[in-house]
Amino acid sequence: TSVLLVYLMFNFRRLVELMNAQSLFAHLHALLDAADPHIINHAEDGDERIPVFHHAAAPAHADDAACLAGRLNGAGDDLLALYRRHNGLQLFARKDDPQACLSFLPVADMAAGKAALADWLQIDEDALDKDELGLYTTDEGAPAYYGFPDWWENAVVFAYFGYSPECLLMPADGAYRGKIFIFEHDGGNDISQIADNLSDLFRQLATDSIGFLRRYYGMYWYAAASYHPD
């Protein structure tokens, strides 16, 4: 009976992972397949139409994929599946300034991205009292941290927002293993959870594009009113 239970639990986990991956790629391709993506921005002299684009890189090299798999250590199978297809993404990139986008880093650049984030987190470590550091709960009920989280050593920093230190990261161990967190420097230098997994992140990007961009990339899209794929 115990062997059967383990078998059923393993296969249920694999089924959930497969469903998450299918959902992820469905939402991703809804973005990539957009014929004429653009954002309507409110301006003082009237609405402004801003063309954007979405781009997916070629699959990660086998060595890079193996490196990422080692860092994840079984967490975030959906992130690994993404990189086996695309070693980086540019999402909602402005055609007039492609660096202004949500950029998924190539595997080879992830270590540098993590080092850059460490410099920002060290600011809080140096400036705050010890009892101000660590885990707290946001007004929305999400787990969040000031300073280095207890899972920092094995975290993977995989995406950033152009021209800002804001970035996305995933714990590879600990209580929040496989969740998606964001670092935000505007208003607090904190890290907070924004998605249960990568599929949930892409659901937000595809179905609540403007809400996501205004909330997390406000330096560019604070006045964004609507996103149109065609």
Side-chain angles (χ1 to χ4, degrees):
T1 303
S2 60
V3 174
L4 177 60
L5 181 60
V6 170
Y7 174 80
L8 291 174
M9 290 178 64
F10 174 80
N11 281 278
F12 177 75
R13 177 175 178 271
R14 297 304 300 173
L15 178 61
V16 170
E17 291 170 354
L18 178 61
M19 292 174 64
N20 283 339
Q22 290 176 335
S23 174
L24 184 166
F25 289 115
H27 290 311
L28 172 59
H29 285 288
L31 296 173
L32 295 177
D33 294 343
D36 182 24
H38 59 279
I39 289 173
I40 302 299
N41 220 31
H42 280 322
E44 291 183 2
D45 55 351
D47 289 347
E48 178 185 15
R49 185 184 190 278
I50 302 176
V52 297
F53 68 89
H54 310 290
H55 172 73
H61 188 276
D63 291 344
D64 285 333
C67 178
L68 180 58
R71 293 175 188 171
L72 291 170
N73 193 30
D77 287 344
D78 45 6
L79 184 62
L80 182 59
L82 173 65
Y83 274 82
R84 282 176 169 157
R85 292 197 190 187
H86 305 295
N87 189 23
L89 300 168
Q90 285 178 284
L91 301 179
F92 301 99
R94 293 176 61 124
K95 284 192 174 181
D96 61 355
D97 187 0
Q99 296 302 311
C101 68
L102 174 57
S103 175
F104 281 63
L105 294 164
V107 174
D109 293 344
M110 289 181 180
K114 186 174 181 179
L117 176 55
D119 290 341
W120 280 95
L121 297 180
Q122 191 62 50
I123 294 173
D124 275 353
E125 292 282 341
D126 295 337
L128 298 178
D129 293 334
K130 189 173 182 179
D131 61 357
E132 295 177 294
L133 296 168
L135 179 65
Y136 72 98
T137 302
T138 67
D139 292 340
E140 294 79 20
Y145 296 84
Y146 284 118
F148 292 100
D150 52 4
W151 38 260
W152 171 255
E153 182 177 354
N154 293 317
V156 174
V157 176
F158 63 89
Y160 73 95
F161 296 80
Y163 300 117
S164 80
E166 267 71 3
C167 59
L168 302 178
L169 62 160
M170 176 186 288
D173 60 14
Y176 302 106
R177 184 173 184 261
K179 307 293 186 184
I180 307 298
F181 284 73
I182 188 170
F183 168 74
E184 295 180 275
H185 87 292
D186 187 9
N189 282 5
D190 64 337
I191 291 175
S192 60
Q193 184 184 331
I194 62 169
D196 287 333
N197 48 46
L198 201 66
S199 176
D200 183 28
L201 176 69
F202 274 92
R203 177 191 59 78
Q204 295 178 48
L205 288 166
T207 65
D208 186 24
S209 306
I210 291 302
F212 185 93
L213 293 172
R214 289 181 60 148
R215 172 65 181 85
Y216 301 117
Y217 204 12
M219 65 175 288
Y220 266 98
W221 299 115
Y222 65 91
S226 56
Y227 167 73
H228 303 271
D230 302 308

